[in-house]
Amino acid sequence: DQQVKQNSPSLSVQEGRISILNCDYTNSMFDYFLWYKKYPAEGPTFLISISSIKDKNEDGRFTVFLNKSAKHLSLHIVPSQPGDSAVYFCAARPFGNEKLTFGTGTRLTIIP
Amino acid sequence: EADIYQTPRYLVIGTGKKITLECSQTMGHDKMYWYQQDPGMELHLIHYSYGVNSTEKGDLSSESTVSRIRTEHFPLTLESARPSHTSQYLCASRTGGGTEAFFGQGTRLTVV
């Protein structure tokens, strides 16, 4: 039973445009959500996070939106740059729990 | 930049061999984790530790074992490697009050 789902395995976006990566979850106990970026043969790098008490968090070109009623979060990257080409993982954790549950990732390709 | 290191980066080993994957962090983080990831799949938590002398099993059953004798060191051992153990192994750490986990670069293990 996959509790964190990233239904788009891949996404291609023109350089300079907005990239939107989506993530759905089923566990209503999740209260903290994170996005990681991963290059091939590297470990994941933390990008941005959001607590369930917020619905938006912004850091530079990256913004994460959380819709708790829909159990949906999204990562917006604007403007998209070639260096953003990577696999993006959504992850979630219940309050007071060590276990971070990951989605299967979305491969983002930025087209120059 | 996170200071968490994994060695080796790549390992090809024969069936039945004993192997230890090393993970060290210089950030003084209490909590450390081992994840396993197959290509195109999500990261699965296989072991975690709250601190020295603390180890717990994660969500994914694994034949590996871990130890935490020092804060900075969290090695993973396979007593008898099998082809089914072929995967990427990712180590991570975070502070007790922190939110995001920092990942090492991973060890890609191939058992032939």
Side-chain angles (χ1 to χ4, degrees), chain B residues 41-84:
Chain B
M41 303 295 288
E42 62 266 48
L43 283 71
H44 288 288
L45 181 67
I46 52 175
H47 298 283
Y48 61 101
S49 167
Y50 291 110
V52 172
N53 294 326
S54 150
T55 60
E56 303 285 343
K57 289 197 177 291
D59 292 325
L60 182 68
S61 175
S62 174
E63 293 165 345
S64 58
T65 59
V66 292
S67 63
R68 189 88 183 276
I69 298 170
R70 302 198 316 266
T71 298
E72 63 270 22
H73 196 213
F74 191 40
L76 180 145
T77 298
L78 276 165
E79 290 292 333
S80 179
R82 293 209 298 268
S84 61

Side-chain angles (χ1 to χ4, degrees), chain A residues 42-107:
Chain A
E42 300 282 335
T45 302
F46 170 74
L47 267 180
I48 192 168
S49 62
I50 188 166
S51 154
S52 61
I53 63 172
K54 293 186 173 183
D55 53 19
K56 177 183 174 182
N57 189 27
E58 192 172 353
D59 183 2
R61 295 187 298 116
F62 302 93
T63 303
V64 56
F65 295 92
L66 176 63
N67 182 334
K68 289 185 289 295
S69 60
K71 293 192 175 69
H72 177 83
L73 67 156
S74 60
L75 174 68
H76 292 211
I77 306 172
V78 56
S80 300
Q81 299 174 354
D84 296 330
S85 294
V87 178
Y88 289 78
F89 288 94
C90 169
R93 183 171 65 227
F95 176 76
N97 191 309
E98 289 304 318
K99 299 176 183 179
L100 200 56
T101 301
F102 284 82
T104 53
T106 297
R107 181 176 301 279

Side-chain angles (χ1 to χ4, degrees), chain B residues 32-43:
Chain B
M32 296 189 74
Y33 310 84
W34 277 102
Y35 287 86
Q36 183 176 341
Q37 187 199 14
D38 293 322
M41 303 295 288
E42 62 266 48
L43 283 71

Side-chain angles (χ1 to χ4, degrees), chain A residues 43-44, chain B residues 6 33-35 37 43 88-92 103-106:
Chain B
Q6 290 185 243
Y33 310 84
W34 277 102
Y35 287 86
Q37 187 199 14
L43 283 71
Q88 184 178 37
Y89 293 83
L90 293 157
C91 180
F103 282 83
Q105 292 186 300

